[in-house]
Amino acid sequence: MAQFPQGLRQIESRCNAGERRVLDQLRQCLDDQHIVWHDLPVGEAARQPDFIVLGPGLGLLLLEVKDWKLATIRQATPDRVELATASGPVMTAHPLRQVRDHAMALADLLQRDPALVHDDGPHRGRLALRYGWGAVMSNLRRAEVAALPGFDAVFPPARTLLRDDLDDSVDPETFVQRLSGLFTVDLPQRLTPAQRERIRWHLFPELRLGAPSPVQRAGHATPVEPPPEPPPEVPDLLQVMDLQQEQVARTLGDGHRVIHGVAGSGKTMILVHRARRLAQEAEPARPVLVFCYNRALADRIEALIAPGEALRTRLQVRTFHGWCAELARRHRIAVPAAPEGQDDADAPARLAQAVIAAADAGRVPLGGHHAVLIDEAHDFEDGWLRLAAAMSDPAARRLLVLYDDAQSIYQRLRQRFSFASVGIQARGRTSVLRLNYRNTAEVLGLALRFARGLLPERGRDREAGRGDEDGVTGVAPSSSGRRGPRPVLIRARSEHEEAELLAARIADAVAAGTAAGEIAVLCRTRAQMAPIAEALARRGLPLQSMGSAGFQHFDWRQAGIRLVTLHSAKGLEFAHVHVAGLQRLPWRDETLEDAVRLVYVAMTRATQSLVLSCCGSSPVVERLQAALRDSPAADLDLEPAPQ
């Protein structure tokens, strides 16, 4: 059966009678190598054919479906059709003209991608895939139209499917041959998986996630306005959801939903997709509320969801404590002061407790948001989750929770926990994402060896709750098999030398064409960033550092190397990651397990290359050296997951 990323039941519920006949025939006659979408905006121009079919041998096919009766069609030309309606005659575009225009516009778009055209031979410069279009008159039979003069001239049989083609008696091979007849060019070449992903990238801009902005790609220090119609550029196949991610994203309906996913599995991508859709239908008085733990991730999510102003009034992206501070000011909630003689380190905890108590007492209105989405929910305490869940509209109950127990670096791991205990009723509506797409096999392999013993083993996912779906699921990561350079450990004699070595390495990368915005340096503390920032600045490299005086937040519109604390890097990703100062770990009263988990999260921020550095020894450095020694000389001990 064909694959339906929107969900077969969801498509069926939206189809009219004629579209449902087409859907049934596509479902019965196409195998699982084919992907079918229904009624989605396509490309930057947001054209919207009724069906899109993509298959390795078939190619790209667009179908426009009309359920018109013969008596309804008053007259027709190749461009226009006049229909008889209860309110009088109506002129509409001819379905073949309509779908042809869609197909030609898409062909023009795809043809500008060098990876999708022939680079030599008689077809050089032309698309390396078949594409076609057709109209489906789902309510007309051949016997009805056979005697009509001029029908075939206006609805050419080679381009028009009728009700006869949709009958159950039509065998699958005949139907596929009928679809093949809708193509203009017959190419023996089959689409490769990589080409299929590129086509999806072009067809559905909403699936492009995390792509660097024009400013970052250019490496400028000031914003640059993108051209009105930039040429298509696929920066990396990581930047488009795979089919499982797309299906999860497109089938998320109302009700409480939980997604368990490993680092790099695309949880935040799905959240961004969902938040965009919900924000478009929300009202400013009842906006969508997106929660995460740290400020850097909140800023990044907001930049991804609403890069312009259109959605800003219908969307709020907040850290939990930042949101609590807003509620405390709005509702005049008193926050207890720190006990005499103690510092104010636990001020965030006292703030959260005061707001939760006020909500329990009825002083904070609940249910006032169109939807609530929680990223990195494993970093939230139980009381936070309970309050966050209660903020979604109780009628629609639109709540999405993203969770990965292995990345819990702010809270203690939950040993016994159920989502129902904090008001999240997601039983029967949970998804699990095991495949890591962010990291290369080399980066993920080292991260897993380094964190061995703290993560579930493949094939032995851990359940810690009451039931398979209501508790915390410890998910073992699997590699997507993408390859890259092996991680490097730099050992220096001092912090100054470490900073100089890192800065020199980064300067060489930028000189070779790497955009500054694709590079990050991660440190345990802000104080560790000072010598690195100075070394980078001496080389004239643009940067934004959390260690700089007066730092508030990153401006993701600006290019520059990011200097980020290990904790604040949570949820972010960069092409090239440098983890510095490992000799400081574990830090102060931190346990070795906490430090290892933190470095595991830091390692898995890298999409292409990973550099680790230290200027001394520590239990973390020793563990890292052991993991590097265990690395095979060639291939790592990760098997690519089946595609």
Side-chain angles (χ1 to χ4, degrees):
M1 186 178 79
Q3 301 183 65
F4 298 89
Q6 298 161 273
L8 191 57
R9 289 184 180 178
Q10 287 198 18
I11 296 176
E12 285 178 330
S13 67
R14 291 168 26 185
C15 286
N16 60 35
E19 291 171 342
R20 197 169 296 116
R21 295 188 194 102
V22 177
L23 177 66
D24 288 343
Q25 199 72 324
L26 293 173
R27 176 180 58 82
Q28 295 174 28
C29 297
L30 297 181
D31 61 27
D32 60 5
Q33 296 291 306
H34 295 82
I35 311 169
V36 178
W37 295 273
H38 170 256
D39 196 28
L40 282 177
V42 180
E44 300 289 357
R47 298 174 183 269
Q48 203 155 334
D50 289 327
F51 286 97
I52 304 170
V53 182
L54 180 63
L58 189 67
L60 180 65
L61 176 65
L62 275 61
L63 298 174
E64 192 70 27
V65 182
K66 300 300 181 185
D67 205 26
W68 298 333
K69 297 179 180 178
L70 192 60
T72 305
I73 305 174
R74 296 187 56 175
Q75 57 181 337
T77 70
D79 293 318
R80 309 286 289 177
V81 176
E82 183 179 335
L83 301 175
T85 71
S87 56
V90 173
M91 295 295 293
T92 186
H94 192 294
L96 271 177
R97 176 63 183 270
Q98 187 178 353
V99 74
R100 177 189 179 279
D101 289 347
H102 293 346
M104 297 306 294
L106 283 179
D108 179 66
L109 175 68
L110 298 176
Q111 194 162 338
R112 289 184 284 154
D113 186 340
L116 296 176
V117 298
H118 292 281
D119 55 7
D120 57 17
H123 300 292
R124 182 175 182 178
R126 297 175 61 186
L127 269 179
L129 68 140
R130 304 172 73 214
Y131 66 94
W133 64 89
V136 185
M137 310 299 287
S138 58
N139 216 5
L140 302 182
R141 291 193 175 274
R142 284 192 181 85
E144 288 183 89
V145 302
L148 288 180
F151 183 88
D152 287 354
V154 180
F155 294 94
R159 288 282 178 198
T160 309
L161 276 68
L162 301 177
R163 175 66 180 270
D164 309 66
D165 299 302
L166 307 178
D167 287 342
D168 292 339
S169 59
V170 177
D171 67 85
E173 185 176 349
T174 300
F175 181 72
V176 172
Q177 289 176 350
R178 189 77 176 89
L179 293 182
S180 296
L182 301 176
F183 289 81
T184 54
V185 179
D186 188 15
L187 294 173
Q189 180 175 331
R190 292 175 63 86
L191 288 174
T192 66
Q195 288 175 320
R196 184 190 73 173
E197 298 306 281
R198 295 181 81 91
I199 292 169
R200 290 175 60 242
W201 191 91
H202 289 289
L203 292 182
F204 304 115
E206 69 271 21
L207 300 184
R208 307 173 194 171
L209 295 149
S213 69
V215 174
Q216 292 172 319
R217 283 198 297 268
H220 294 291
T222 56
V224 175
E225 289 296 326
E229 291 187 4
E233 176 186 347
V234 184
D236 195 304
L237 291 184
L238 287 172
Q239 307 303 333
V240 60
M241 292 184 187
D242 77 346
L243 285 175
Q244 184 195 11
Q245 293 168 333
E246 181 184 354
Q247 183 164 22
V248 171
R250 292 198 189 280
T251 56
L252 286 173
D254 292 347
H256 293 189
R257 309 272 171 166
V258 173
I259 298 176
H260 300 276
V262 301
S265 60
K267 298 185 300 299
T268 301
M269 294 180 179
I270 292 170
L271 177 142
V272 168
H273 181 276
R274 177 69 170 159
R276 284 174 179 163
R277 287 187 58 188
L278 291 172
Q280 288 169 355
E281 62 188 44
E283 299 175 358
R286 299 175 66 82
V288 173
L289 179 59
V290 179
F291 281 120
C292 60
Y293 187 91
N294 69 65
R295 177 66 179 271
L297 179 57
D299 291 341
R300 185 56 176 153
I301 289 174
E302 185 172 27
L304 288 170
I305 297 173
E309 296 298 322
L311 298 181
R312 295 268 169 120
T313 60
R314 291 172 283 167
L315 175 76
Q316 295 176 356
V317 183
R318 300 288 189 269
T319 65
F320 183 78
H321 290 102
W323 176 73
C324 284
E326 292 179 13
L327 291 183
R329 289 192 296 270
R330 186 183 311 145
H331 300 289
R332 299 183 180 183
I333 300 170
V335 180
E340 187 176 353
Q342 295 186 16
D343 61 27
D344 215 29
D346 66 343
R350 287 184 281 106
L351 170 65
Q353 290 169 2
V355 171
I356 291 171
D360 291 343
R363 295 175 54 200
V364 175
L366 304 179
H369 288 270
H370 182 73
V372 172
L373 297 84
I374 308 174
D375 199 7
E376 311 285 355
H378 42 268
D379 289 327
F380 281 52
E381 293 183 2
D382 290 8
W384 307 359
L385 290 174
R386 186 180 297 106
L387 179 58
M391 299 309 295
S392 66
D393 181 347
R397 302 173 67 248
R398 302 180 188 92
L399 175 68
L400 175 61
V401 177
L402 308 183
Y403 206 101
D404 178 13
D405 195 43
Q407 295 189 75
S408 183
I409 59 176
Y410 295 103
Q411 307 297 336
R412 292 189 177 277
L413 298 183
R414 293 179 166 97
Q415 298 302 319
R416 298 293 299 174
F417 173 78
S418 73
F419 286 103
S421 69
V422 294
I424 300 173
Q425 306 294 337
R427 188 181 294 275
R429 293 185 298 276
T430 64
S431 303
V432 177
L433 302 175
R434 292 181 171 84
L435 203 56
N436 175 301
Y437 295 93
R438 178 190 296 144
N439 310 130
T440 63
E442 289 78 4
V443 169
L444 183 59
L446 177 63
L448 291 180
R449 284 192 298 278
F450 174 76
R452 186 174 291 151
L454 299 183
L455 306 179
E457 298 178 12
R458 280 175 294 168
R460 297 183 181 180
D461 290 353
R462 175 172 55 81
E463 303 291 344
R466 297 177 304 193
D468 292 339
E469 291 188 292
D470 195 39
V472 173
T473 300
V475 185
S478 295
S479 171
S480 64
R482 192 170 58 88
R483 307 311 299 244
R486 297 186 67 183
V488 173
L489 173 62
I490 297 175
R491 302 208 61 165
R493 291 165 293 187
S494 66
E495 286 191 353
H496 174 76
E497 183 180 62
E498 181 185 5
E500 290 297 324
L501 289 172
L502 287 176
R505 190 180 188 94
I506 291 171
D508 289 345
V510 172
T514 299
E518 297 177 355
I519 302 172
V521 181
L522 313 184
C523 302
R524 178 61 180 83
T525 69
R526 298 187 183 209
Q528 289 176 281
M529 299 175 186
I532 301 172
E534 291 171 4
L536 292 170
R538 282 196 299 272
R539 289 165 172 80
L541 296 171
L543 63 94
Q544 296 184 50
S545 172
M546 292 184 67
S548 62
F551 175 85
Q552 293 295 321
H553 57 83
F554 288 118
D555 184 349
W556 294 100
R557 300 168 299 175
Q558 298 276 353
I561 300 153
R562 265 65 178 205
L563 274 65
V564 192
T565 63
L566 297 181
H567 284 88
S568 294
K570 184 79 174 296
L572 304 178
E573 64 178 46
F574 302 89
H576 309 284
V577 169
H578 304 71
V579 185
L582 292 173
Q583 76 284 349
R584 297 284 190 94
L585 297 173
W587 175 255
R588 293 183 178 173
D589 57 351
E590 208 168 46
T591 67
L592 177 58
E593 178 178 333
D594 288 341
V596 169
R597 197 177 295 276
L598 183 59
V599 175
Y600 165 78
V601 171
M603 289 180 177
T604 54
R605 302 306 96 198
T607 67
Q608 294 182 30
S609 70
L610 174 65
V611 175
L612 305 120
S613 64
C614 62
C615 58
S617 188
S618 73
V620 163
V621 172
E622 293 170 4
R623 186 174 179 123
L624 176 59
Q625 288 178 312
L628 286 166
R629 284 194 300 269
D630 290 345
S631 301
D635 293 340
L636 299 179
D637 57 346
L638 284 174
E639 299 175 2
Q643 298 297 316

